[in-house]
Amino acid sequence: MSLPQRVKIFEVGPRDGLQNEPAPVDTATKVELIEQLAAAGVQAIESGSFVSPKWVPQMAGSEAVFGTLTRQSGVTYSALTPNMRGLERAISAGVTEVAVFIAASEAFSQKNTNCSIAEGLARAAELTKVARAEGLDVRGYISVVAGCPYQGAIEPATLAPLSKALLDMGCYEISLGDSTGVATPGQTKAIVDAVASAIPINKVAMHCHNTYGQALANIYAALEMGVAVIDSSVAGLGGCPYAPGATGNVATEDVVYMLNGMGIEHGIDLEKLVQAGDYIITQLGRQNDSGVARAMLAKTNN
Ligand code: HMG
Ligand code: MG
């Protein structure tokens, strides 16, 4: 299959990135990051999560983030919701798109959401039904699609019924999470192949963490299979609190640079994106995990 002409970038830094920061990040900083991302042309920004603050205290302030944000038309500001309580909070905060999340392994499902895969699917189905009835769009995630930190390898065939179940309950798109970044390109192709046997390829998104440095190669493999939605995190922020050792998502800057080189449209201004990444990195006092950003900033700083 040929490469897509246009790719949608689904930015997850303000959620997947900041949920994993050891020090609390204040609302104003989160909002500034989200607004800079929107100003750079990012059209889908996962801006927080309404999970239990006992489980992920970093996201406890998501009401304040959504309440403070100046929303641009044409930009979707979404949030992760694990249960009905989370959905109610999201609706009260004026969120128009939420995401449900399940796992491909029983062990990860228990660690991340304290329930079995079947219970997770049932929760997601109930939530999705209510959210759709309220006029919200719902995205679905499957975590640990390539390997589970507690249980080991995942058979790609197990992903087909899970993807179909999420799509059938009303999710508009299924994001395949390589939560610990263990996949390699051949494995990514096997994963996409298995999922595409159950749902249309235009409903599939890739969500690659870059722990083993394979994310861009995996994304290229997925693009070759016809996947045209890529999750990424500015400056490579992130990880998952329940996936030990997992580092950030693939850096948005690195994906955008690669797409630019291949002549694939995405609508994002790379210079402004790098500035947004530099902003949050400076606030957090941590290193920028985007090679592209480091290279571009080194040029402008000299
Ligand atoms: P639980 O402990 O089984 O639930 O957690 P519970 O119903 O017994 O609630 C425990 C306490 O939390 C109670 O408070 C609830 O009220 C409260 P208490 O009575 O003890 O004072 N609570 C809530 N508070 C606010 N908002 C809520 C909420 N729900 C319960 N929504 C639960 C079950 C699912 C809630 C918990 O396991 C949870 O929040 N898990 C989310 C963990 C998480 O956020 N993980 C990271 C995101 S997923 C990810 O990063 C992967 C992804 O990026 C893709 C990939 O990379 O693979 C998406
Ligand atoms: Mg993730």
Side-chain angles (χ1 to χ4, degrees):
M1 186 182 270
S2 58
L3 293 164
Q5 287 185 340
R6 187 176 176 88
V7 159
K8 176 179 170 187
I9 296 288
F10 194 95
E11 170 65 46
V12 296
R15 192 278 304 170
D16 205 335
L18 298 185
Q19 76 179 8
N20 217 39
E21 278 304 313
V25 181
D26 61 37
T27 300
T29 304
K30 291 178 179 174
V31 168
E32 176 66 25
L33 171 65
I34 295 163
E35 291 182 349
Q36 286 197 26
L37 289 166
V42 182
Q43 288 177 335
I45 308 173
E46 202 167 66
S47 303
S49 71
F50 295 94
V51 299
S52 170
K54 292 192 169 150
W55 285 61
V56 184
Q58 291 91 333
M59 290 287 113
S62 289
E63 271 92 356
V65 170
F66 279 93
T68 311
L69 200 55
T70 302
R71 300 180 205 205
Q72 303 298 330
S73 66
V75 179
T76 303
Y77 303 90
S78 63
L80 215 57
T81 47
N83 52 18
M84 290 303 291
R85 174 84 190 280
L87 176 64
E88 285 157 17
R89 289 175 57 204
I91 291 172
S92 302
V95 175
T96 58
E97 176 175 315
V98 293
V100 292
F101 49 109
I102 61 160
S105 80
E106 290 295 347
F108 192 82
S109 184
Q110 290 292 348
K111 290 278 186 190
N112 199 35
T113 47
N114 201 23
C115 67
S116 68
I117 297 173
E119 287 163 342
L121 274 170
R123 270 185 204 169
E126 185 196 7
L127 192 162
T128 302
K129 192 174 169 197
V130 176
R132 300 283 291 122
E134 294 284 332
L136 277 72
D137 291 324
V138 184
R139 195 172 197 245
Y141 281 104
I142 307 175
S143 284
V144 296
V145 295
C148 168
Y150 310 104
Q151 217 176 298
I154 299 293
E155 186 54 50
T158 59
L159 305 170
L162 296 177
S163 308
K164 184 153 176 16
L166 287 171
L167 196 70
D168 287 349
M169 71 179 68
C171 295
Y172 74 88
E173 180 173 282
I174 314 305
S175 178
L176 303 175
D178 179 12
S179 322
T180 48
V182 291
T184 50
Q187 196 182 1
T188 298
K189 287 196 166 177
I191 287 167
V192 173
D193 215 27
V195 171
S197 72
I199 67 170
I201 193 75
N202 65 4
K203 303 285 181 192
V204 180
M206 281 310 297
H207 178 104
C208 298
H209 286 258
N210 198 32
T211 316
Y212 286 78
Q214 305 293 302
L216 269 189
N218 291 335
I219 288 168
Y220 185 77
L223 293 175
E224 277 195 325
M225 306 278 296
V227 173
V229 183
I230 303 297
D231 297 5
S232 60
S233 179
V234 71
L237 298 175
C240 175
Y242 298 99
T247 60
N249 295 83
V250 64
T252 310
E253 298 92 320
D254 296 1
V255 178
V256 164
Y257 180 83
M258 181 174 84
L259 296 175
N260 282 349
M262 296 194 296
I264 297 175
E265 289 168 34
H266 47 72
I268 296 173
D269 179 322
L270 180 56
E271 305 270 347
K272 288 186 180 165
L273 181 66
V274 167
Q275 290 309 319
D278 191 40
Y279 165 76
I280 191 64
I281 284 306
T282 306
Q283 294 295 314
L284 298 174
R286 79 192 303 277
Q287 89 159 8
N288 197 321
D289 280 341
S290 161
V292 167
R294 283 200 303 268
M296 286 177 62
L297 289 165
K299 271 195 207 168
T300 46
N301 292 342
N302 279 329

